[in-house]
Amino acid sequence: MTSNASHETDNSPLRSICREVRRRVDAFLKSDPPTEVLRTTQRQTRESIAVIEEALARYPLHTLSLSYNGGKDCLVLLVLYLSCLATYPSPLPQSLQSIYIVSKDPFAQVDSFVASSSEQYHLDLLRLERESMREAFREYLEDGGAGKEVQAILVGTRRTDPHGGDLGPFSPTDRRWPAFMRVCAVLEWHYREIWAFIRHLEIPYCELYDQGYTSLGGTKDTHPNPALLAEGGNGAGNLAVDGKRYKPAHQLWEDEEERLGRD
């Protein structure tokens, strides 16, 4: 493929998955949703696409990366990123550069989902286990690092996350961090909209969310959300590792309850 080949003639595996994702996203945006939450999710989707398209206009693709850990927020971000790349005018690489900063004491289920979804969506995913995210990003971006050319990283931070309150769609890191632009394309999404998007588009997600987990970290600081405990802990619901039954994550509604299962 020559460098001036258009996206219409690009039939690479990555472009094909991007087109399929774009078809599903477009169908959602053209639909007449039956609920208010789906209508607000449509609006959030359009606004996020505009942010990602601006990032693609600002930065050459080889200078963009994706922070991906298999969680619900960055999963929505990934799907929207792929959707935007369906019509990207230049040839796409075989896979998209991305980084997985592993939580301390990671869940096997999370690792498994990250591996399977990275293959499905053609991510060139660098896995880094370090003491802190700051250290991991510094190693990733330094001269000689895998991301040495990266200028901007798409991140799945939402407004209600810790340290998300002061961010904008494009937020440079502060002086304590390695320098890069954080592209926060799902910043304004609410918890219920994340799940409305995932479920409406039938996007596969990590199985832990069906066991009452609503925010995923490591095995020692993450537990099923008590707000989703089935009546008496043994009613209708899915069995979690603590031996109790919980309703799935999508049945939680309020942002303020999302992190009740985190220490």
Side-chain angles (χ1 to χ4, degrees), residues 29-252:
L29 292 177
K30 292 174 183 176
S31 68
D32 184 14
T35 65
E36 178 62 24
V37 68
L38 282 172
R39 287 190 284 274
T40 63
T41 303
Q42 281 184 327
R43 185 180 68 247
Q44 297 283 26
T45 299
R46 293 187 179 98
E47 292 175 358
S48 293
I49 286 172
V51 172
I52 296 170
E53 288 179 341
E54 182 176 346
L56 290 168
R58 285 192 192 188
Y59 301 99
L61 191 56
H62 72 278
T63 69
L64 271 173
S65 187
L66 169 73
S67 180
Y68 182 68
N69 63 6
K72 63 189 184 305
D73 303 328
C74 60
L75 179 61
V76 169
L77 176 63
L78 168 58
V79 168
L80 294 173
Y81 186 30
L82 293 170
S83 175
C84 292
L85 289 173
T87 55
Y88 189 70
S90 301
L92 296 180
Q94 291 186 344
S95 53
L96 293 172
Q97 64 180 337
S98 47
I99 179 172
Y100 171 31
I101 300 176
V102 183
S103 298
K104 293 181 180 179
D105 309 300
F107 285 93
Q109 296 94 326
V110 172
D111 273 351
S112 177
F113 178 72
V114 168
S116 63
S117 56
S118 295
E119 181 177 0
Q120 176 185 0
Y121 296 121
H122 300 279
L123 299 184
D124 181 12
L125 191 70
L126 176 67
R127 176 188 170 108
L128 283 178
E129 297 184 59
R130 298 294 180 267
E131 285 299 314
S132 68
M133 292 186 67
R134 187 186 311 173
E135 180 184 346
F137 278 125
R138 181 171 289 112
E139 179 177 332
Y140 179 56
L141 298 168
E142 67 187 1
D143 290 342
K148 60 182 182 296
E149 294 184 292
V150 168
Q151 299 176 26
I153 301 177
L154 291 99
V155 297
T157 304
R158 292 182 14 248
R159 180 72 67 195
T160 53
D161 290 337
H163 313 296
D166 296 327
L167 298 178
F170 292 86
S171 295
T173 53
D174 63 33
R175 289 179 297 175
R176 298 173 299 167
W177 285 69
F180 65 91
M181 182 66 73
R182 292 167 290 183
V183 182
C184 308
V186 295
L187 184 65
E188 304 298 346
W189 287 57
H190 293 286
Y191 179 89
R192 56 186 175 271
E193 294 163 344
I194 291 288
W195 278 110
F197 184 88
I198 289 172
R199 285 170 53 77
H200 189 83
L201 273 69
E202 300 181 338
I203 301 166
Y205 55 84
C206 179
E207 64 187 88
L208 288 176
Y209 288 120
D210 285 336
Q211 299 173 25
Y213 292 87
T214 55
S215 177
L216 299 180
T219 58
K220 293 183 179 179
D221 65 2
T222 306
H223 317 281
N225 193 315
L228 290 173
L229 184 66
E231 186 175 353
N234 54 9
N238 297 312
L239 192 65
V241 293
D242 62 3
K244 298 178 182 178
R245 292 190 177 275
Y246 293 83
K247 292 174 285 187
H250 69 84
Q251 292 191 22
L252 194 73

